[in-house]
C-alpha cells in the first residue's frame, strides 16, 4: 500500500497540518514529563499514553524517532508565583525524607506504572537537576539579548520588552494587552517590573534545601527553563514535535516559546500537540484537589469508585477509545464496556489463527487496511481506528461461520494488520495467557451449561434452554448455535 500523508493538529496554527519532518526519515519529539513528588495518577497517565501512541505510530511508519521526556526533579514554586512552596520540598517535610529521596521514590513509581501500561520508554529521559549548567547558560544569553533583568539575586523574563518584537501569547491565543488589563497592581514585595514577567532564576530563601550557585545568587531555576534547556540540547534549536497536557499550554509552553525565541532567534517547535484531560465525575483529575484515582488502586480494585479491578491494558484501551484532544470522563460503566470490547478483539485475534484460507476473497481487506491507516494519519485518531478493528471482528466471525471467504494473501494481510495495530501501535497486551487457568475454568463451566441447554432442548424444555442462553448473555457470554454445535464468545 502506498504510504499516505500524516496530518497533525498543530496547537500553534489551530489547524491540522501535513507532517513534514525537518530531517527526512527522522523525528525529534519532546514531551513534558512528571514532577516527581507523588504517585502518578490516571490523568497524568493519559497524557503520557497519548504520546506513547504517537511515538509508536511514527516508529511503525518507519521514522527514526528521538523521543525526549524530562523528569522534573528540581522543585519550582507552585504556579510560578513569587511565594508559595516547592511541592518536592513540601513532600520531603511531610515524609521526613531528603528531597532526592522523594524524587527517587516517585520516579520509580512513575516508571513502574508506565511499564504496567506497556508504554515504551523514551529515547532520552533527562532530569532538571542534571542540566543546571545549561539552564544558567540560557539565562545568561537571554540577559545578553536584553530580554531579562536581575533584581536582588533573582532573574526575570521581561515579557513586555519581548512582545515589542515578538508575539507573546500566540500559542494560547491570549493578547498581552488583555492580560495586562486583567491583572492587579504589583505588590510591594515583588521584584518584578510587570505582573506578566516570569522567573528564570530564583534566589533561594534560607529554608530552601535544593539550591545551586549561579552568577546571580545561590538559587534554583524557574519552572519553564528546564524544558527549553533540555529540548534544545537533545533536539536542536528547532525540532519537530513538542507535546504535553492541555493545562501546560499557558503559561508553561508559552514561556518556553518566549525563552527559546529570545535566546536562539528561532521558533523552537514546528508542531505543538496537547492531550486533553481525564475527568472523574465530570471534574478534572488533579492531585491538588484530591479528585483522582491511582493506577494501582484501579488494577487492584482497592477503591470506592469502581465495582471491580480493571487491568492496565483494558484501562489503556478505554483511554484510546477517545481522541487524545477530547475530554474523557472516567466511569465504571465506560470501563466495563471497554473491557467487553477488548475481550471481543482478543477473541477474534485467537479465532483468526485457525481460519483456513479459500481460493477467493469475498472481503475487501485492502480497503479496510487503508481505512485503518487513514484513521491514524488523521491526527492519530485512535477511536476511528478501533471502530475499524471492530469491523475486522465481524470479518473474523463471518469467516468462522463460513458466511465469507478469504484468500491466503488476504488472510495474511488481515492477520498482519490486526497484529500491527493491536500490539505494535496501540501497545495492547493479550491478558488471556496470564489468566489461562481462570479461562480454562470458565470454559469448562460454560461447556457444562451448553450441555445442560442441549439436554433441555432435546427434552423440548425450551423455557429452560432460553433461560440458560439469556442468563449467560446477561453476564456477557454469547452462545452461537451452528451446524457443528454451540460455541461461545465473551462480549
Amino acid at each position: 500500500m502506498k504510504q499516505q500523508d500524516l496530518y497533525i493538529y498543530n496547537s500553534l496554527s489551530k489547524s491540522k497540518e501535513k507532517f513534514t519532518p525537518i530531517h527526512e526519515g527522522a523525528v525529534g519529539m519532546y514531551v513534558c514529563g512528571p514532577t516527581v513528588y507523588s504517585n502518578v495518577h490516571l490523568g497524568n497517565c493519559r497524557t503520557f499514553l497519548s504520546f506513547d501512541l504517537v511515538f509508536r505510530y511514527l516508529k511503525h511508519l518507519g521514522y527514526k524517532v528521538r523521543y525526549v521526556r524530562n523528569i522534573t526533579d528540581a522543585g519550582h514554586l507552585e504556579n510560578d508565583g513569587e511565594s508559595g512552596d516547592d511541592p518536592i520540598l513540601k513532600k520531603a517535610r511531610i515524609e521526613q525524607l531528603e528531597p532526592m529521596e522523594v524524587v527517587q521514590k516517585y520516579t520509580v513509581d512513575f516508571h513502574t506504572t508506565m511499564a504496567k501500561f506497556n508504554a515504551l520508554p523514551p529515547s532520552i529521559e533527562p532530569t532538571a537537576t542534571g542540566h543546571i549548567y545549561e539552564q544558567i547558560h540560557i539565562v545568561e544569553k537571554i540577559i545578553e539579548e536584553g530580554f531579562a533583568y536581575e533584581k536582588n539575586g533573582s532573574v526575570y523574563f521581561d515579557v513586555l520588552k519581548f512582545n515589542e518584537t515578538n508575539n507573546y501569547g500566540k500559542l494560547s491565543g491570549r493578547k498581552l494587552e488583555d492580560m495586562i488589563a486583567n491583572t492587579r497592581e504589583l505588590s510591594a514585595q515583588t521584584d518584578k517590573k510587570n505582573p506578566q514577567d516570569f522567573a528564570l532564576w530564583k534566589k533561594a530563601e534560607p529554608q530552601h534545601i535544593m539550591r545551586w550557585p549561579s552568577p546571580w545568587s545561590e538559587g534554583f531555576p524557574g519552572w519553564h527553563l528546564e524544558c527549553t534547556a533540555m529540548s534544545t540540547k537533545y533536539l536542536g534549536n528547532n525540532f519537530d514535535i513538542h507535546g504535553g497536557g492541555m493545562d501546560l499550554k499557558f503559561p508553561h509552553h508559552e514561556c518556553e516559546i518566549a525563552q527559546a525565541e529570545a535566546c536562539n532567534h528561532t521558533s523552537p517547535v514546528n508542531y505543538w500537540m496537547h492531550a486533553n484531560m481525564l475527568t472523574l465525575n465530570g471534574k478534572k483529575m488533579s492531585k491538588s484537589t484530591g479528585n483522582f484515582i491511582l493506577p494501582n488502586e484501579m488494577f487492584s480494585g482497592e477503591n470506592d469508585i469502581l465495582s471491580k479491578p480493571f487491568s492496565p491494558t483494558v484501562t489503556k484501551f478505554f483511554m484510546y477509545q477517545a481522541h487524545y484532544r477530547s475530554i474523557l470522563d472516567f466511569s465504571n460503566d465506560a470501563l466495563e464496556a471497554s473491557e467487553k470490547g477488548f475481550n471481543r478483539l482478543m477473541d477474534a485475534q485467537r479465532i483468526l489463527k485457525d481460519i483456513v484460507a479459500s481460493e477467493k476473497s469475498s472481503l475487501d481487506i485492502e480497503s479496510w487496511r487503508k481505512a485503518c491507516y487513514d484513521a491514524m494519519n488523521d491526527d492519530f485518531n485512535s477511536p476511528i481506528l478501533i471502530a475499524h478493528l471492530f469491523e475486522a471482528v465481524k470479518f473474523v466471525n463471518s469467516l468462522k461461520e463460513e458466511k465469507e471467504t478469504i484468500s491466503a494473501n488476504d488472510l495474511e494481510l488481515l492477520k498482519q494488520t490486526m497484529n500491527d495495530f493491536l500490539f505494535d501501535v496501540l501497545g495492547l497486551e493479550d491478558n488471556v495467557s496470564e489468566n489461562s487457568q481462570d479461562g480454562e475454568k470458565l470454559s469448562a463451566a460454560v461447556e457444562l451449561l451448553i450441555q445442560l441447554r442441549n439436554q433441555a432442548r432435546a427434552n423440548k424444555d425450551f423455557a429452560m434452554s432460553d433461560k440458560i442462553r439469556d442468563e449467560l448473555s446477561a453476564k456477557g457470554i454469547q452462545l452461537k448455535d451452528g451446524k457443528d454445535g454451540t460455541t461461545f464468545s465473551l462480549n
Side-chain angles (χ1 to χ4, degrees):
M1 185 185 80
K2 181 180 178 293
Q3 186 60 58
Q4 303 297 305
D5 292 329
L6 170 63
Y7 285 82
I8 296 176
Y9 183 87
N10 190 345
S11 299
L12 192 58
S13 67
K14 297 165 184 62
S15 64
K16 289 179 190 174
E17 297 177 10
K18 180 182 171 183
F19 178 63
T20 305
I22 297 166
H23 303 290
E24 188 176 350
V27 177
M29 180 170 79
Y30 185 90
V31 172
C32 291
T35 302
V36 282
Y37 68 93
S38 64
N39 299 104
V40 63
H41 66 69
L42 279 175
N44 304 135
C45 292
R46 188 196 180 192
T47 296
F48 300 127
L49 289 174
S50 295
F51 289 102
D52 185 59
L53 180 67
V54 172
F55 183 35
R56 284 173 174 276
Y57 188 60
L58 290 170
K59 284 166 66 74
H60 176 73
L61 292 179
Y63 288 107
K64 182 180 179 183
V65 186
R66 176 177 285 177
Y67 173 22
V68 183
R69 185 183 66 207
N70 69 303
I71 294 283
T72 298
D73 62 344
H76 50 75
L77 299 185
E78 291 173 332
N79 303 317
D80 197 38
E82 286 295 286
S83 58
D85 214 342
D86 169 346
I88 293 176
L89 295 185
K90 187 190 289 184
K91 198 55 171 276
R93 283 197 291 271
I94 291 169
E95 298 194 4
Q96 296 186 315
L97 298 170
E98 282 289 325
M100 292 314 288
E101 283 183 281
V102 171
V103 164
Q104 179 68 10
K105 176 181 177 179
Y106 294 112
T107 300
V108 169
D109 169 74
F110 173 64
H111 288 152
T112 302
T113 301
M114 296 314 293
K116 286 178 182 176
F117 279 117
N118 195 32
L120 298 175
S123 318
I124 303 173
E125 194 171 46
T127 63
T129 56
H131 295 76
I132 298 296
Y133 168 80
E134 288 85 354
Q135 294 176 74
I136 290 172
H137 179 66
I138 286 175
V139 176
E140 289 175 327
K141 213 169 170 189
I142 295 173
I143 292 172
E144 283 174 22
E145 295 291 338
F147 293 118
Y149 55 91
E150 183 266 337
K151 187 76 182 287
N152 295 327
S154 294
V155 181
Y156 298 94
F157 190 94
D158 193 332
V159 170
L160 269 63
K161 180 71 184 298
F162 173 78
N163 203 55
E164 292 172 7
T165 52
N166 297 269
N167 181 8
Y168 182 80
K170 63 185 176 183
L171 178 67
S172 60
R174 303 185 185 207
K175 292 184 178 178
L176 187 57
E177 310 86 74
D178 296 339
M179 289 187 247
I180 292 170
N182 292 327
T183 52
R184 298 176 181 174
E185 291 289 317
L186 283 168
S187 68
Q189 290 100 347
T190 186
D191 290 326
K192 290 183 183 180
K193 288 182 183 176
N194 307 290
Q196 289 71 35
D197 296 349
F198 57 89
L200 296 172
W201 187 265
K202 286 290 292 179
K203 181 181 179 180
E205 297 296 326
Q207 70 272 18
H208 203 97
I209 304 170
M210 299 178 86
R211 57 173 68 211
W212 293 267
S214 80
W216 316 285
S217 64
E218 272 211 352
F220 52 94
W223 174 23
H224 317 297
L225 194 59
E226 65 183 273
C227 289
T228 297
M230 291 185 276
S231 63
T232 55
K233 178 180 175 72
Y234 296 109
L235 299 174
N237 291 342
N238 175 234
F239 55 94
D240 297 299
I241 297 171
H242 192 315
M246 198 77 78
D247 56 331
L248 296 180
K249 191 183 289 187
F250 187 89
H252 185 53
H253 290 161
E254 200 75 74
C255 294
E256 275 192 63
I257 292 173
Q259 290 168 164
E261 289 184 351
C263 185
N264 301 317
H265 306 286
T266 185
S267 180
V269 179
N270 288 359
Y271 303 87
W272 283 91
M273 296 181 66
H274 291 92
N276 217 324
M277 69 180 79
L278 186 65
T279 57
L280 177 60
N281 300 322
K283 297 177 182 177
K284 178 187 172 184
M285 274 199 193
S286 169
K287 295 175 189 172
S288 58
T289 62
N291 188 57
F292 68 94
I293 183 171
L294 297 177
N296 283 339
E297 293 172 343
M298 184 168 181
F299 306 154
S300 67
E302 294 174 5
N303 62 79
D304 299 326
I305 299 166
L306 305 173
S307 62
K308 64 174 190 173
F310 290 94
S311 70
T313 201
V314 165
T315 307
K316 187 178 188 178
F317 183 64
F318 160 71
M319 293 184 189
Y320 287 162
Q321 286 184 289
H323 190 265
Y324 76 89
R325 286 192 289 114
S326 302
I327 293 174
L328 175 61
D329 196 49
F330 181 88
S331 73
N332 192 78
D333 288 349
L335 280 158
E336 286 191 339
S338 288
E339 186 174 54
K340 288 178 181 178
F342 174 77
N343 288 336
R344 281 178 61 205
L345 282 169
M346 294 302 111
D347 280 345
Q349 188 71 1
R350 286 186 286 278
I351 293 167
L352 189 55
K353 293 173 184 174
D354 298 323
I355 296 293
V356 179
S358 304
E359 286 187 20
K360 292 182 180 180
S361 287
S362 59
L363 299 166
D364 189 350
I365 301 302
E366 278 283 0
S367 294
W368 168 80
R369 181 172 183 265
K370 181 180 180 299
C372 291
Y373 279 96
D374 286 346
M376 286 301 289
N377 287 334
D378 181 17
D379 193 32
F380 309 96
N381 201 325
S382 57
I384 300 298
L385 168 66
I386 289 169
H388 291 312
L389 294 175
F390 279 123
E391 284 179 40
V393 173
K394 293 178 184 175
F395 294 168
V396 171
N397 289 331
S398 294
L399 290 166
K400 181 187 175 186
E401 294 163 11
E402 299 181 4
K403 293 177 181 176
E404 304 281 1
T405 59
I406 191 166
S407 68
N409 285 343
D410 279 352
L411 179 58
E412 188 55 39
L413 192 63
L414 178 59
K415 287 180 178 179
Q416 185 64 54
T417 307
M418 285 284 282
N419 188 78
D420 286 348
F421 281 108
L422 284 171
F423 304 121
D424 292 347
V425 174
L426 295 175
L428 302 175
E429 295 181 290
D430 188 347
N431 292 342
V432 169
S433 58
E434 296 173 18
N435 305 309
S436 57
Q437 288 186 339
D438 290 343
E440 287 169 13
K441 290 174 185 175
L442 174 64
S443 295
V446 175
E447 289 296 342
L448 177 59
L449 288 168
I450 288 172
Q451 288 175 30
L452 292 173
R453 178 170 175 264
N454 289 341
Q455 191 175 337
R457 291 167 83 185
N459 295 335
K460 298 193 179 337
D461 187 354
F462 298 115
M464 178 56 71
S465 168
D466 291 346
K467 182 177 173 63
I468 292 172
R469 180 198 63 205
D470 294 343
E471 289 284 341
L472 286 172
S473 180
K475 301 297 184 187
I477 300 168
Q478 192 74 36
L479 298 186
K480 293 180 183 177
D481 296 316
K483 62 183 182 181
D484 297 324
T486 302
T487 58
F488 75 93
S489 62
L490 302 179
N491 290 341

